[in-house]
Amino acid sequence: MALSLFLTSVTVDAKTVDRIAGIAGEHVVFLSDVRMRARVYMASQPDGDALARARQEAKAMRASCEDLIDEALVAEEAERRHLQVTEDEVSSAIDAVARTNETDRASLMKMIRERGIVERDYRAMVRARVLDGKLLALVMPKDKRDDLEAADKTMHDELRAQVYVEDRIASAP
Amino acid sequence: MKRAFVVLFAVACAAPPPAKVAIVKAHVRTLGERRDDVCARKDLVPMGASVVGDELQFDSAIVRSVHVRDASNAEVALGDETTSAIRIGAPLTADASRETLQRVWQTGKFADVAIDTEPTSPVEAGAVSVIVRVVPKRTIANVFVSGDAQPDALHVSQGSTYDAVAITSAKRAVLDFERTEGHLDATLEVSSAIAEHDAVDVCVKLMRGPRVTIDAIKVHGSAYDAALTALLAREDTVNVPDKVPNEEMLARDDLVLTAELYDHGLLNGEVKRTKERHGASITIDFAIKDGVQFHYGVVDVKGDLAAPKGDYMKLVTLKQGDVFSRTEAMAVLEKVRAMAKSAAKKDDIEVEPETELDVANQSVALTIAIHDPHPSASTTQQQPRGFTIVELKQGQGRAAKAGDTVDLHYKGTLTNGTVFDSSYGRSPFSFKIGGGAVIKGFDRGVTGMRVGGKRRVTIPPDMAYGSRAVGNIPASSTLVFEIELLAIR
């Protein structure tokens, strides 16, 4: 059902500041969000030549858009089920990440800021992951608990099947 | 892809697999070695923007003009209010850009929207023209229908606007309807293609398939099969041979059968329902496992007793050693409740059964707990003002408590009566009490409910979403939930 309706800048000098990068039912994903998320992904990629890096960035952009679409759908479903994530839960999750990395929260956040990642965006990402985990715990069949990744994918697939989803990053030429 | 990109937030998942933790550690080591390079990398910052402190900031280009144009650069008329987030004469900010994008998208008129900047004409250093680039939604040129399709239900007609989001939503509704009508194999395909003059041709193909009806309902595996079968026939007149299966009623049947097992002391009894399809027929199968039969152990009354305990105990006709019966226990509970209310001269006294199974001795200790939610001032707990519970229907069995997973239906309304959400018509809502999965007031409102019970719970904002607006719930809203408890697991 998807149509090729992508905009291209009309003049050579035009810069695209932001645009619709994805649709998740009633929600849209902004290109600025995709870029910001891709920055986080790219921060952990090894160095390579310009071509390799361009490929990684394209891959990161596609993955970011897919993740943000899933997060939007999870957020909507979680809202329907009155699930929520408190600031304390986000902080606890960040503490857990810090412990796993054998550091403390302040050092972890400093490291994140040093990489050019806005703290607010990092917390939003963590919040999304906690919410995903909460929703998964609710909807996951008991016999699927030994493969969380597969169960998570199934949950996302089912959520996507409910609404119109379009990833304009993945389908862009 | 996602696994490879689990970077610094993997363990935020409720129960991450150990492999993800290892990935996090590995990444941190890698990152530490190449920090300078990463910090220097600016290419993924949104175009024309940079990270300053904790904020994303655009270059301080001053906006000289804002135009809304289509792909052919023709001006498109929009209301001023639509683009007013971008101020002429002020720097272009990320927030204004996003807000404008959102506003234009929400008009529902466009299939794509972008915010572009161009040099001013004549070129002025440090200034830009903002172009809100739009692609209008296309018009449907032709609708091709095949199979059993009803394009009207999909809001697809010649000359109307092609709206993929709305069509997908309608498609889902059509399929749900077909399935409730027994067309369990129904498929609906909607495809589109660009036609001439930038319009769209739409093809709709609905294949209903056979109407599947019940051919038999079987209850087996219990010493009480005959009684359970008769009970089902009395209680469920919807799921009968030659009718389409009704999932909601079938879920209720599970509860009815479980409750009947409880009346025979079979507190560990199990009801497992399966469906077996044979072409256009379906057999509903209830496999019962009786488990062991429990007898009453110690039966007691405790809590906020407004009358001498002996008076309450006279009402307790349940005898230690007798076979447990839910109906019998509930009858006693009702008598105790009536006395508790009468003695306290209050209507809001809460009386709940608390049971403790002794599997080794096949006995169940029953405590009838009386709770006065508004005792004397010295013992009153601090409660947020405005939180109330009204019992609309008393349930049966044990009271739901923290740690229990419950299945329920609910309807949520604002105080003006606007329904903002309801689980009726969907699968029952399940959550673990006290697990932090729901707003505090909902957690609290469900605690103490018994299966079959119904409550109206009024939740003040500080036990709901506070000053946040969530979905169609305005900020600082008091919420009213009617909750019907279906099961405690």
Side-chain angles (χ1 to χ4, degrees), chain B residues 190-463:
Chain B
V190 182
S191 55
S192 59
I194 305 292
E196 55 187 12
H197 305 304
D198 260 3
V200 181
D201 285 344
V202 178
C203 299
V204 181
K205 183 180 182 184
L206 172 68
M207 301 302 288
R208 284 204 173 92
R211 185 168 181 268
V212 180
T213 56
I214 297 169
D215 64 353
I217 296 171
K218 295 178 182 172
V219 180
H220 59 90
S222 170
Y224 304 95
D225 279 349
L228 293 171
T229 303
L231 176 69
L232 215 50
R234 279 199 310 276
E235 293 287 329
D236 185 354
T237 55
V238 175
N239 289 302
V240 294
D242 298 328
K243 296 284 186 186
V244 172
N246 180 303
E247 286 299 325
E248 281 185 32
M249 281 301 287
L250 287 171
R252 183 176 175 274
D253 291 346
D254 295 342
L255 302 178
V256 167
L257 293 176
T258 303
E260 182 65 12
L261 293 180
Y262 285 5
D263 270 354
H264 294 284
L266 305 173
L267 300 179
N268 284 344
E270 288 178 18
V271 176
K272 186 177 180 185
R273 172 165 50 89
T274 55
K275 287 185 280 191
E276 195 177 335
R277 176 94 179 263
H278 330 275
S281 299
I282 200 161
T283 302
I284 311 290
D285 185 282
F286 291 96
I288 313 290
K289 278 187 186 172
D290 283 349
V292 297
Q293 191 172 50
F294 283 80
H295 298 74
Y296 290 111
V298 174
V299 182
D300 196 10
V301 179
K302 70 171 189 182
D304 302 322
L305 307 183
K309 184 168 180 175
D311 290 354
Y312 289 105
M313 292 305 291
K314 283 178 190 168
L315 302 174
V316 181
T317 51
L318 312 170
K319 291 193 170 45
Q320 196 166 348
D322 284 356
V323 172
F324 179 88
S325 162
R326 180 193 58 99
T327 303
E328 196 179 50
M330 293 313 296
V332 168
L333 192 81
E334 285 307 315
K335 288 180 188 172
V336 171
R337 178 176 285 119
M339 173 178 275
K341 286 182 178 179
S342 170
K345 296 185 173 58
K346 292 179 179 177
D347 278 338
D348 59 352
I349 299 294
E350 296 167 4
V351 180
E352 295 168 356
E354 295 174 358
T355 55
E356 191 174 335
L357 295 187
D358 180 346
V359 178
N361 294 310
Q362 298 177 20
S363 71
V364 51
L366 172 65
T367 302
I368 299 174
I370 300 174
H371 174 61
D372 183 347
H374 303 291
S376 58
S378 60
T379 57
T380 301
Q381 288 184 336
Q382 198 72 31
Q383 285 193 9
R385 184 176 294 177
F387 179 81
T388 62
I389 293 176
V390 177
E391 297 283 356
L392 302 175
K393 184 184 170 189
Q394 292 292 345
Q396 296 181 323
R398 74 176 178 85
K401 61 183 187 305
D404 286 337
T405 297
V406 291
D407 300 333
L408 51 83
H409 272 307
Y410 66 87
K411 183 176 76 172
T413 56
L414 304 177
T415 49
N416 64 8
T418 303
V419 177
F420 62 81
D421 191 17
S422 172
S423 69
Y424 290 97
R426 302 194 302 245
S427 301
F429 172 55
S430 303
F431 78 105
K432 187 176 180 180
I433 299 176
V438 296
I439 55 174
K440 281 182 193 170
F442 200 86
D443 233 4
R444 191 165 185 151
V446 174
T447 302
M449 287 190 78
R450 291 175 290 274
V451 172
K454 193 170 182 181
R455 279 181 175 177
R456 182 182 300 124
V457 182
T458 304
I459 303 174
D462 51 353
M463 294 179 77

Side-chain angles (χ1 to χ4, degrees), chain A residues 136-169:
Chain A
L136 186 61
L138 259 186
V139 303
M140 185 169 39
K142 284 177 185 166
D143 60 346
K144 301 286 184 192
R145 296 192 177 196
D146 54 344
D147 190 348
L148 284 175
E149 195 155 346
D152 200 38
K153 184 179 182 312
T154 301
M155 178 178 80
H156 292 158
D157 288 346
E158 287 173 359
L159 290 174
R160 282 172 178 246
Q162 309 284 323
V163 295
Y164 180 74
V165 172
E166 188 180 330
D167 180 347
R168 293 179 175 178
I169 300 282

Side-chain angles (χ1 to χ4, degrees), chain A residues 1 5 15 17-19 33 43 45 57 59 67 80 83 97 101 114 118-119 122 134 138 148 168, chain B residues 1-2 8 15 28 31 34 39 43 54 98 111-112 115 117 138 162 410 421 426 429-430 436-437 471:
Chain A
M1 191 149 66
L5 294 169
K15 286 181 178 179
V17 173
D18 210 344
R19 64 176 297 167
D33 289 333
Q45 295 305 298
E57 285 173 3
K59 202 173 169 186
D67 285 359
R80 191 177 74 74
L83 291 175
V97 175
N101 292 310
E114 283 172 355
V118 177
E119 183 169 343
Y122 181 70
K134 279 189 173 187
L138 259 186
L148 284 175
R168 293 179 175 178
Chain B
M1 193 66 181
K2 182 169 280 185
L8 293 166
V28 168
L31 288 168
R34 50 186 291 279
C39 287
D43 47 350
D54 204 24
R98 290 167 62 93
D112 202 0
I115 308 290
T117 58
R138 296 172 191 239
Y162 177 83
Y410 66 87
D421 191 17
R426 302 194 302 245
F429 172 55
S430 303

